Amino acid sequence: MDDNDIENALNTQTDAKLSLLHFATIGSTNQYAKQLCEHTAYQTPCVVWADQQTAGVGKFSRPFYSAANGGLYTTLIMPNLLISAPKVGLFTTSLAMATVSAIQTCFNLTVDVKWVNDIYLHDRKIAGILVEQGAHNAIIIGIGINLFQQNFPNEIQKTAGNLLTAAPSETIRQQFFITLISQLYQSCFTYTNLKFLSDYKRHLMLMDHRIQLQLGRSVITGTVTDINQLGQLVIVDATTHQHRSIPAGEVTKVFP
């Protein structure tokens, strides 16, 4: 992939005066981006990407397998982006749909979303998104996508999957990267219009399913009925039989 071509294409599509930092190998693009923000008050977006991560992380600091050239590993630094606490869920769900849209555009594949923003294909996780707060009011948007990974570690062989059935050409990989970053960037400014929510619901793999949720130290069970206008998961609690909106948490089990 050609960094100059990528940067020029992104700036043409977004008009963002975006900068690009590319590494053959890095510990974690998100961690590096957070360090950058501590030392620099960015005024324009910056994209950090790597061919390989040796210490990639996902939610709850879990490791994210990031073998050389097997996927896309990137972080978008969005400067001076203020997101009110009630709308954090809406923002993160919009990023999931931006990813779904980029996949549909480039590969004509239909994928599923596991609330909040994990991407699945054939019941296997192919992508994860991690949003963090950076210094100087920057938002750090990290994403890892398995394009065609081989030899997943034993602990994730039964749960991880690939987007593609063969390694893509560099041209296709580059076009997908450009499309993905462009879609993520646009979502940062359009998520409050709620237009993506109907698509999100269609792609939500949990709809009408009975699930188990981890909420801090508590575990609850319920049936998913909706996503509300704040991007929260709406369930009917199995114990109280009342509707309940869940702003954050982890779905740990989906019952058949």
Side-chain angles (χ1 to χ4, degrees):
M1 300 197 334
D2 187 284
D3 289 340
N4 288 330
D5 287 348
I6 293 170
E7 188 169 323
N8 290 336
L10 285 172
N11 283 317
T12 297
Q13 292 186 19
T14 64
D15 195 28
K17 298 181 180 179
L18 178 150
S19 58
L20 188 72
L21 297 174
H22 175 212
F23 298 87
T25 301
I26 199 171
S28 159
T29 59
N30 257 39
Q31 289 301 317
Y32 187 83
K34 289 166 70 175
Q35 292 169 6
L36 285 177
C37 290
E38 289 174 0
H39 297 97
T40 304
Y42 278 90
Q43 298 303 312
T44 57
C46 177
V47 174
V48 180
W49 76 281
D51 300 319
Q52 177 183 20
Q53 293 184 118
T54 58
V57 293
K59 288 182 293 187
F60 309 111
S61 298
R62 292 171 182 152
F64 187 90
Y65 181 67
S66 314
N69 299 311
L72 286 180
Y73 320 117
T74 186
T75 296
L76 172 62
I77 300 173
M78 290 297 296
N80 303 313
L81 187 62
L82 300 177
I83 301 170
S84 63
K87 293 185 178 179
V88 169
L90 189 64
F91 179 68
T92 53
T93 50
S94 77
L95 298 177
M97 278 315 302
T99 305
V100 169
S101 177
I103 290 170
Q104 177 71 42
T105 298
C106 293
F107 301 112
N108 196 29
L109 290 172
T110 300
V111 294
D112 299 316
V113 179
K114 180 183 175 185
W115 183 82
V116 179
N117 51 20
D118 287 336
I119 311 300
Y120 277 67
L121 180 64
H122 305 314
D123 294 322
R124 287 177 176 261
K125 182 177 175 179
I126 61 164
I129 302 169
L130 179 63
V131 180
E132 300 183 278
Q133 180 69 57
H136 301 107
N137 293 324
I139 296 295
I140 309 295
I141 303 167
I143 182 166
I145 301 179
N146 300 328
L147 294 178
F148 185 67
Q149 302 273 19
Q150 295 179 299
N151 303 316
F152 284 112
N154 290 336
E155 58 268 25
I156 61 172
Q157 278 189 359
K158 293 182 179 180
T159 56
N162 286 310
L163 177 62
L164 305 174
T165 57
S169 68
E170 287 299 287
T171 300
I172 291 174
R173 191 165 176 254
Q174 178 168 307
Q175 186 54 55
F176 178 51
F177 183 50
I178 293 167
T179 303
L180 175 66
I181 296 298
S182 297
Q183 297 268 20
L184 292 173
Y185 174 83
Q186 296 297 339
S187 287
C188 293
F189 302 102
T190 60
Y191 71 97
T192 55
N193 67 23
L194 308 182
K195 291 181 179 179
F196 71 91
L197 274 180
S198 59
D199 286 335
Y200 185 92
K201 293 177 188 179
R202 283 199 300 271
H203 287 272
L204 185 66
M205 62 190 295
L206 308 177
M207 193 65 76
D208 300 322
H209 280 73
R210 186 166 171 261
I211 63 168
Q212 181 175 282
L213 275 163
Q214 184 80 39
L215 305 178
R217 295 183 179 181
S218 301
V219 177
I220 65 170
T221 301
T223 300
V224 177
T225 62
D226 201 3
I227 296 290
N228 68 19
Q229 292 193 343
L230 291 175
Q232 298 172 347
L233 194 68
V234 181
I235 68 168
V236 174
D237 191 299
T239 301
T240 66
H241 305 292
Q242 299 295 313
H243 281 86
R244 182 172 178 179
S245 296
I246 311 296
E250 182 183 16
V251 177
T252 55
K253 186 174 183 179
V254 181
F255 295 93

